[in-house]
Amino acid sequence: MPLPVAVEIAPADAPREHVAVLLEACTRTKRDTECVAAESVDDGSTFAVAIVTWQGQERALVEVGLRRGGRPEWRTRVLDFEGRDDVLERWRTVGIVVGTLANEELDASAERGGTSTTSPSDTSPDSAPLQAPKAEEASSRRQRPRSSEPEPLETTDAPGRSGGSSHAPPSSKTAAALDLGAALGPALGRARSGGFARMRIPVFRPVFGVAAFRYFEQSAMPLSVGARWLTLAVGAGGVFVASPFELTVSVDGRAEWFTASAERDDREASMARWLAGAGLNATFGWMLLDSLGVFAGGEVAYMFGSTPLKVQGVPAGEDKAARYSGELGLRIPLW
């Protein structure tokens, strides 16, 4: 009977349902034997040993020990997941990767023209099956490889079975998203309100590019100024995910078109100007569904200049260089 692939999972208190999904996916991918939990192997004789270490909920380190040329060789793979990825799909993907790495031993044997067999009495220590590691041994090996073992090797093979569908791990890029919202903040001694659209464009986890369009308006009142602000911004930021929540922070450069008008004694005055500036934005989001979330946040900006306003020579306010606003809105993931 073919020897199994022994899989050790850390932390050891992982839900049984998750472990079962991983082992099932590994067994389907492994072509000649099954994958079992390391603690279920009675005598420790295994075809290969796999150690899966979850580093938080969104990263898994996979290490698979194979026998090549009479010596053990460890291969590693790091899988990064998105916060919106289904938990069971994460475990299934890890199982596929374990089975794929274990299949490499078969592929190497086929290239040499097949596998050779030996009787138990002729088995030397170098050709003996790999032993399932004890917990303390696995912990020590993860900290520092034993002197008799080579350093873990990185592998870039895509998970999946030959002739079957490929199950690549989720992309390491930050998901693109569109924010649509309303904003409120002070200006010219009163409140101004408006709306905005902001596009988050993936670059590489956790970095993203950002492009935004903002519109604010302040209605004219007797003896006061009415004004409009139109802002275009481009920048970059980072997203920090703890599913289903995410914190985003970005900085940008911006150009702002400002217009103001006022009426006094049946006479109207107006003005307009362009200004450049920089902004800092932070939001806290909650993804209610895979396709929709909500967020709240704030923005501070500094424009490279201020604009004093006068009506018939009388000061009517000043659009200051520094400004801030709060915002609420919807977040729509795009890809």
Side-chain angles (χ1 to χ4, degrees), residues 230-232 254-258 272-276 303-304 307:
L230 180 66
T231 306
L232 300 176
R254 55 184 56 196
E256 182 178 84
W257 174 249
F258 171 73
R273 61 99 177 100
W274 278 101
L275 272 183
M303 308 308 296
F304 304 141
T307 307

Side-chain angles (χ1 to χ4, degrees), residues 66 68 71-76 141 144-153:
L66 302 172
R68 291 188 188 277
R71 298 185 60 189
E73 179 180 295
W74 289 90
R75 292 185 172 271
T76 67
R141 194 191 64 74
R144 184 179 63 185
R146 301 173 191 169
S147 58
S148 61
E149 298 177 1
E151 292 285 345
L153 301 177

Side-chain angles (χ1 to χ4, degrees), residues 154-241:
E154 292 291 341
T155 178
T156 58
D157 292 337
R161 285 183 291 179
S162 176
S165 60
S166 175
H167 297 264
S171 168
S172 61
K173 292 186 176 181
T174 298
L178 175 65
D179 289 352
L180 300 174
L184 180 68
L188 302 175
R190 295 188 290 127
R192 64 172 185 166
S193 60
F196 62 90
R198 182 170 52 234
M199 177 75 172
R200 187 172 80 190
I201 306 167
V203 178
F204 191 83
R205 186 186 187 98
V207 179
F208 61 85
V210 63
F213 169 83
R214 303 176 71 88
Y215 175 80
F216 280 96
E217 182 172 349
Q218 189 179 74
S219 299
M221 298 177 65
L223 302 180
S224 68
V225 176
R228 294 180 176 86
W229 294 260
L230 180 66
T231 306
L232 300 176
V234 177
V239 57
F240 309 94
V241 179

